[in-house]
């Protein structure tokens, strides 16, 4: 199936997951599995959430699928993850070897996308995806991953976070 049709299909599936999930945690658990299992180029998929009250602010690894990472807690001034959370902007890196901010998770990783998750306009975490393929995250993928992150933000907002 062409990647566009697969993404369209998955867009519907993640929306259905979100509608059916009893909690945001359940949604994140299921979403990382779905994305990892179904997208060939999504080789590590995980959420980082800001630790409540941590000073300095800290991202903590939440639900993930893929190899264990040494980066279970990331300060906001480090990594691609820190850059996305502190700027509130999606960060796409086509070649991680050329980005000085990159914190290595796996030697196989070639490209990465990190999309912030917002609740009431504030960053509360992010969806991080690593690929073994260079430049895996085209604008089409960015839009899809942003949709996924927005579903989690909406679920957290609904649950009163
Ligand atoms: N590469 C990330 C660290 C997290 S791992 O990819 C799972 C970064 O540079 O922030």
């Amino acid at each position: 199936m062409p990647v566009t049709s697969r993404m369209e299909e998955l867009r519907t599936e993640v929306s259905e997951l979100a509608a059916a999930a009893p909690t945001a945690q359940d949604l994140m658990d299921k979403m990382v599995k779905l994305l990892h299992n179904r997208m060939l180029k999504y080789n590590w998929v995980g959420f980082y959430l800001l630790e409540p009250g941590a000073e300095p602010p800290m991202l903590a690894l939440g639900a993930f699928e893929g190899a264990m990472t040494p980066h279970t807690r990331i300060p906001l001034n480090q990594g691609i993850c820190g850059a996305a959370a502190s700027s509130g902007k999606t960060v796409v890196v086509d070649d991680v070897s050329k980005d000085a901010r990159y914190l290595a998770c796996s030697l196989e990783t070639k490209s990465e996308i990190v999309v912030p998750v917002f609740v009431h306009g504030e960053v509360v975490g992010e969806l991080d995806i690593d690929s073994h393929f260079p430049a895996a995250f085209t604008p089409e993928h960015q839009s899809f991953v942003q949709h996924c992150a927005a579903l989690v933000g909406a679920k957290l907002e609904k649950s009163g976070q």
Side-chain angles (χ1 to χ4, degrees):
M1 188 187 289
V3 74
T4 312
S5 324
R6 176 157 338 125
M7 249 186 287
E8 278 313 310
E9 201 179 272
L10 273 188
R11 217 178 246 268
T12 309
E13 280 185 51
V14 287
S15 301
E16 284 167 2
L17 266 192
T23 61
Q25 187 59 52
D26 180 74
L27 175 59
M28 290 187 275
D29 291 341
K30 288 182 175 145
M31 191 181 277
V32 295
K33 285 194 169 66
L34 182 77
L35 297 183
H36 185 261
N37 292 346
R38 300 276 292 283
M39 296 301 276
L40 170 74
K41 297 189 178 181
Y42 293 14
N43 304 111
W44 189 94
V45 182
F47 284 92
Y48 283 92
L49 297 175
L50 277 173
E51 281 180 359
E55 204 45 62
M58 195 67 73
L59 292 158
L61 182 62
F64 75 97
E65 205 57 32
M68 187 56 201
T69 169
H71 303 293
T72 54
R73 293 175 87 234
I74 303 175
L76 291 204
N77 61 354
Q78 285 182 27
I80 313 292
C81 286
S86 56
S87 66
K89 296 215 157 64
T90 294
V91 180
V92 175
V93 179
D94 286 341
D95 178 352
V96 293
S97 74
K98 296 211 170 86
D99 195 313
R101 299 170 298 181
Y102 176 65
L103 298 170
C105 173
S106 145
L107 289 175
E108 288 172 297
T109 298
K110 300 286 190 301
S111 60
E112 177 164 9
I113 184 170
V114 186
V115 177
V117 172
F118 296 93
V119 170
H120 300 301
E122 301 280 330
V123 176
V124 297
E126 59 196 22
L127 174 53
D128 177 14
I129 306 182
D130 291 356
S131 180
H132 296 170
F133 299 79
F137 304 104
T138 60
E140 202 179 4
H141 284 274
Q142 289 176 43
S143 155
F144 171 64
V145 180
Q146 283 168 342
H147 172 68
C148 293
L151 288 172
V152 172
K155 198 77 181 178
L156 284 166
E157 207 165 288
K158 230 174 163 183
S159 68
Q161 170 166 345

